[in-house]
Amino acid sequence: GQQVMQIPQYQHVQEGEDFTTYCNSSTTLSNIQWYKQRPGGHPVFLIQLVKSGEVKKQKRLTFQFGEAKKNSSLHITATQTTDVGTYFCAGIYNTNAGKSTFGDGTTLTVKP
Amino acid sequence: NAGVTQTPKFQVLKTGQSMTLQCAQDMNHEYMSWYRQDPGMGLRLIHYSVGAGITDQGEVPNGYNVSRSTTEDFPLRLLSAAPSQTSVYFCASSYSIADEQFFGPGTRLTVL
């Protein structure tokens, strides 16, 4: 079936260090979305990537979509304690099919 | 706008009991979905709906029923609760699968 693999599962960093999480699919994606879930909270949408090779930035966050549209990454520069949470990617294979497939998430902890 | 609301916030059931988790949105979104989230895992799609009167199964539909009689409401019914259904349940809505999903605050369900 269609699966989105996300690594790493956990990442512990010192405040100020960089952080990256990766999502990979065995088949081509149509779109990929990224969400953040704070501890005890609900997922909140960050961004959607649609085009092959697309790069989008939100302040210290950089999102990339691979040329083959099979992988994506989220990079945080100079982490802060407010970045703590679990980051999920959600792959959409067919925008007419009505389903998205979530990765298992990467949980980021930041030591002050 | 209240966004996506879910009730109850917490629920404890005994094995074999049935119940309905409520979900409502006031954003006039056509697409609604139910996910479950187990510890250390991502969001797994239970059922989804692309509009009133239309529902379809996700990855893990067994033991759950849904209906969509109005655009606003998308209740999830547990037919005969089992301990394996202990989880956090999130409802989400969006204009379409290719748009940002808005998540409700979640229902934490324990089945004894």
Side-chain angles (χ1 to χ4, degrees):
Chain A
Q2 292 163 336
Q3 270 190 313
V4 175
M5 306 301 294
Q6 189 172 355
I7 56 169
Q9 188 174 5
Y10 299 98
Q11 186 79 56
H12 311 284
V13 301
Q14 194 80 31
E15 189 172 20
E17 291 181 337
D18 292 357
F19 159 78
T20 305
T21 173
Y22 302 90
C23 280
N24 294 289
S25 169
S26 57
T27 55
T28 302
L29 295 161
S30 174
N31 305 357
I32 193 159
Q33 298 173 341
W34 285 91
Y35 292 81
K36 177 183 178 181
Q37 184 178 25
R38 294 185 189 274
H42 58 276
V44 175
F45 177 83
L46 294 175
I47 209 158
Q48 176 165 250
L49 305 173
V50 178
K51 298 177 185 175
S52 167
E54 190 169 13
V55 179
K56 287 189 176 180
K57 293 191 176 185
Q58 289 179 350
K59 296 183 181 177
R60 294 178 295 105
L61 278 60
T62 301
F63 303 84
Q64 294 190 1
F65 204 6
E67 293 291 340
K69 298 183 73 173
K70 289 184 178 182
N71 55 72
S72 182
S73 64
L74 158 59
H75 179 82
I76 302 178
T77 304
T79 55
Q80 299 175 358
T81 54
T82 53
D83 295 326
V84 163
T86 301
Y87 293 85
F88 294 98
C89 61
I92 300 163
Y93 292 92
N94 181 346
T95 53
N96 295 320
K99 286 192 278 193
S100 56
T101 302
F102 276 78
D104 283 345
T106 297
T107 299
L108 173 65
T109 55
V110 179
K111 188 174 181 181
Chain B
N1 280 357
V4 180
T5 57
Q6 290 184 239
T7 55
K9 283 189 166 46
F10 301 93
Q11 183 70 50
V12 178
L13 292 177
K14 294 181 179 177
T15 296
Q17 288 184 315
S18 63
M19 80 158 295
T20 300
L21 307 186
Q22 301 292 344
C23 174
Q25 53 91 10
D26 61 359
M27 297 174 280
N28 204 31
H29 286 165
E30 290 294 330
Y31 183 84
M32 295 186 75
S33 54
W34 276 102
Y35 296 89
R36 60 176 288 173
Q37 184 175 35
D38 301 308
M41 296 184 71
L43 297 147
R44 291 185 290 169
L45 183 65
I46 305 171
H47 285 286
Y48 66 97
S49 168
V50 298
I54 306 168
T55 64
D56 206 344
Q57 297 181 348
E59 301 170 67
V60 289
N62 292 342
Y64 307 95
N65 271 359
V66 291
S67 60
R68 184 95 181 269
S69 55
T70 67
T71 300
E72 294 78 20
D73 300 296
F74 191 42
L76 177 73
R77 279 181 286 279
L78 278 70
L79 309 172
S80 177
S84 61
Q85 293 178 305
T86 293
S87 190
V88 180
Y89 291 84
F90 288 102
C91 177
S93 76
S94 59
Y95 287 110
S96 76
I97 187 54
D99 293 296
E100 168 185 0
Q101 290 194 70
F102 292 84
F103 283 81
T107 294
R108 190 172 296 273
L109 176 69
T110 301
V111 183
L112 303 175

